[in-house]
Amino acid sequence: MTKADQLKQEILDKVAEYYQYAFNQAPKQNRISYAGRVFDEREMLNLVDASLEFWLTEGRYAQAFEKKFSGFLNVKYTALVNSGSSANLLAFATLTSPLLKDRQVLPKDEIITIAAGFPTTVTPIIQYGATPVFVDVVLADGTYNVDCAQLEQALSNKTKAVMLAHTLGNPFDLSKVLGFCQKNNLWLIEDNCDALGSKYNGKYTGTFGDIATSSFYPPHHITMGEGGAVYTNNPLLNKIMRSMRDWGRDCYCHSGKDNSCGKRFGQQHGELPYGYDHKYVYSHFGYNLKATDLQAAIGCAQLEKLDGFIKRRRESWQYLRDALSMFDKYFILPNATQKSEPSWFGFLMTVKENVGFSRADMVTHLEEHNIQTRMLFAGNLIRHPCFDQLRAKGVDYRVIGNLKNTDDIMNNTFWIGVYPGLGKAQLDYMIQTISQFIQSIQ
């Protein structure tokens, strides 16, 4: 063992010891968070190990993460990126490549989506000049996903793709959506950011569509602090997405590698001189969306815990669902989509009409009792100031019907946490606090 190896091992030993003193003591929690990071010394050891190598950009940990993540989902290709929002941007940008010929998404093409969700499922559509077409969601059955009955109404001769998220881990009806896309030769982008580990018909979500995304922000199923991934089984989409992630370059060498193709100075590209360095040939207008090896090192340790995280989320969700079922007079309670096994991101509740209290009353009560709550993200995205700006600029979008259920969600829906850091005592406290509120208004 060299002196450097010896010092490195001493540092890692101290990191493990530090974790035990700094993080492995049971902290006093005065507030029940809706989500949070769950980790142990392995994440810290990987992070420090990567930092001591000081490679910093994409490296061996990033490549290991992509391979392990692909293996978990049983997909062929994964590209690690710096956030879930970047993942959505990259997934959509991939479909705008001229390499896709007549299936290339062009400005003014229409993309079917929903407004009841997170904005970055929709943002890339607008940024690339395409037209979002908003359909409503189903609320009464507690699934909160796309109303498949409206898909045919949304279809036009300009429709090129469907881009949808699995709401808070609950899969949308993939049989109907996928059948609609196949029938009409449409791309399907699965925003799987809130649903890592969810299954439909025994198969992981994110593996049904043409391309899918995940987020590794701290509230999500695994975390790198920041981070995300785009994945596909389509080799052409993989080629495009890796090009667009890495500045738009034609070269596919990993960072720090040269001449993987064996023809670095022996090809003709466009109007460039013959033999122009392949590392500096650009086939797309791209970005730099890569994650660092420091992030990937944390992700590798998190992946080892993913099965346990999914199990805990499901158990906590079911515990809340069973206990709160007595209040279905007051709330629309969440339900799994038929044929699905959700890896739940949160526990959704919608306050029914004429029950003697509002969502604001309920949420205020929970927050005052130190229980963190969240809305279903944008609620109805087209009601936000960013859409006022679009309307002022004359930017096109279409709405099917009146989005009544989406507006109901905007006005009446909230959610509480089921993340793996919650124990039975915290779940019981949430149940007790909700029960006390209901008793106080009866």
Side-chain angles (χ1 to χ4, degrees):
M1 181 180 287
T2 66
K3 185 63 175 178
D5 290 334
Q6 180 183 346
L7 288 170
K8 180 178 182 179
Q9 190 58 55
E10 290 176 7
I11 291 168
L12 295 177
D13 289 343
K14 286 294 184 183
V15 168
E17 184 180 358
Y18 172 80
Y19 168 82
Q20 297 301 325
Y21 285 98
F23 292 101
N24 201 30
Q25 313 295 323
K28 291 183 179 179
Q29 292 189 336
N30 297 320
R31 184 163 174 77
I32 297 177
S33 299
Y34 80 97
R37 55 195 185 157
V38 178
F39 67 99
D40 60 25
E41 72 276 8
R42 285 171 287 182
E43 282 82 355
M44 298 186 75
L45 289 169
N46 277 13
L47 176 60
V48 172
D49 184 52
S51 71
L52 292 174
E53 289 183 357
F54 213 69
W55 183 251
L56 301 184
T57 188
E58 178 202 27
R60 69 178 182 93
Y61 274 112
Q63 293 164 29
F65 179 88
E66 290 178 344
K67 183 177 180 180
K68 291 177 181 178
F69 190 80
S70 291
F72 176 82
L73 289 174
N74 193 27
V75 294
K76 292 180 180 178
Y77 312 108
T78 295
L80 184 62
V81 295
N82 56 12
S83 75
S85 297
S86 291
N88 281 346
L89 173 63
L90 180 60
F92 190 83
T94 296
L95 301 186
T96 69
S97 169
L99 296 181
L100 299 175
K101 300 179 181 178
D102 61 328
R103 296 196 69 193
Q104 176 190 12
V105 174
L106 298 168
K108 304 299 182 181
D109 283 341
E110 293 185 348
I111 314 297
I112 298 172
T113 188
I114 62 173
F118 202 76
T120 57
T121 310
V122 176
T123 301
I125 301 170
I126 295 165
Q127 289 172 330
Y128 271 87
T131 302
V133 179
F134 294 104
V135 298
D136 211 351
V137 297
V138 178
L139 177 57
D141 66 356
T143 56
Y144 295 89
N145 274 305
V146 60
D147 183 354
C148 295
Q150 292 191 356
L151 293 175
E152 290 289 347
Q153 295 173 253
L155 184 67
S156 78
N157 59 7
K158 297 180 180 179
T159 309
K160 280 284 183 70
V162 174
M163 187 169 183
L164 296 169
H166 300 290
T167 303
L168 280 200
N170 196 21
F172 54 77
D173 190 330
L174 278 153
S175 294
K176 291 181 180 177
V177 173
L178 191 59
F180 172 77
C181 289
Q182 291 172 343
K183 172 186 172 184
N184 296 289
N185 195 32
L186 307 177
W187 298 109
L188 175 58
I189 305 173
E190 282 183 79
D191 181 338
N192 202 40
C193 289
D194 293 345
L196 181 59
S198 293
K199 290 183 177 180
Y200 182 87
N201 263 352
K203 183 181 175 184
Y204 284 120
T205 56
T207 65
F208 289 82
D210 297 285
I211 195 166
T213 62
S214 281
S215 173
F216 309 130
Y217 192 64
H220 288 272
H221 292 68
I222 60 173
T223 185
M224 300 179 181
E226 302 285 354
V230 185
Y231 35 104
T232 184
N233 284 311
N234 185 314
L236 178 56
L237 295 185
N238 176 56
K239 174 183 177 180
I240 297 166
M241 74 187 190
R242 297 194 82 88
S243 170
M244 287 191 162
R245 185 197 67 169
D246 299 2
W247 306 281
R249 65 180 183 167
D250 199 68
C251 175
Y252 52 84
C253 291
H254 284 296
S255 187
K257 301 289 185 181
D258 291 338
N259 206 24
S260 296
C261 64
K263 298 180 289 184
R264 180 179 171 189
F265 299 106
Q267 300 178 76
Q268 180 68 55
H269 298 283
E271 298 180 8
L272 292 168
Y274 177 82
Y276 197 82
D277 188 349
H278 190 223
K279 287 183 71 70
Y280 293 95
V281 173
Y282 301 95
S283 52
H284 295 97
F285 292 104
Y287 309 90
N288 178 6
L289 301 178
K290 296 193 303 298
T292 69
D293 232 35
L294 304 176
Q295 294 168 275
I298 299 168
C300 285
Q302 286 273 289
L303 268 179
E304 296 172 5
K305 301 177 173 69
L306 180 53
D307 284 329
F309 288 166
I310 294 166
K311 183 173 183 289
R312 287 285 298 277
R313 285 179 177 274
R314 287 176 176 159
E315 289 172 347
S316 295
W317 184 92
Q318 193 63 56
Y319 191 79
L320 290 176
R321 186 64 177 81
D322 291 343
L324 296 174
S325 62
M326 68 180 78
F327 300 128
D328 60 1
K329 172 184 174 182
Y330 302 95
F331 302 104
I332 298 173
L333 295 171
N335 289 303
T337 300
Q338 289 185 3
K339 300 186 287 187
S340 76
E341 301 172 69
S343 175
W344 296 100
F345 190 56
F347 190 89
L348 274 163
M349 304 172 73
T350 298
V351 178
K352 292 183 176 180
E353 294 181 359
N354 304 316
V355 294
F357 64 91
S358 67
R359 177 185 64 190
D361 296 329
M362 184 76 253
V363 165
T364 299
H365 176 78
L366 290 170
E367 295 281 353
E368 286 176 347
H369 286 79
N370 293 317
I371 297 170
Q372 198 172 35
T373 64
R374 286 293 184 267
M375 304 294 102
L376 185 50
F377 308 124
N380 184 345
L381 184 59
I382 68 172
R383 307 292 187 202
H384 285 253
C386 57
F387 266 76
D388 290 339
Q389 299 167 26
L390 288 186
R391 285 184 282 266
K393 294 177 181 178
V395 175
D396 291 334
Y397 66 93
R398 288 202 296 122
V399 175
I400 304 304
N402 57 12
L403 302 187
K404 179 184 182 304
N405 291 337
T406 301
D407 278 338
D408 286 347
I409 287 169
M410 176 182 67
N411 291 318
N412 302 313
T413 300
F414 69 98
W415 58 277
I416 54 179
V418 296
Y419 82 104
L422 297 178
K424 182 176 180 296
Q426 293 161 309
L427 297 173
D428 284 337
Y429 179 70
M430 289 194 286
I431 295 164
Q432 176 188 350
T433 305
I434 293 170
S435 299
Q436 289 172 345
F437 177 83
I438 297 297
Q439 291 168 11
S440 73
I441 58 94
Q442 287 177 335

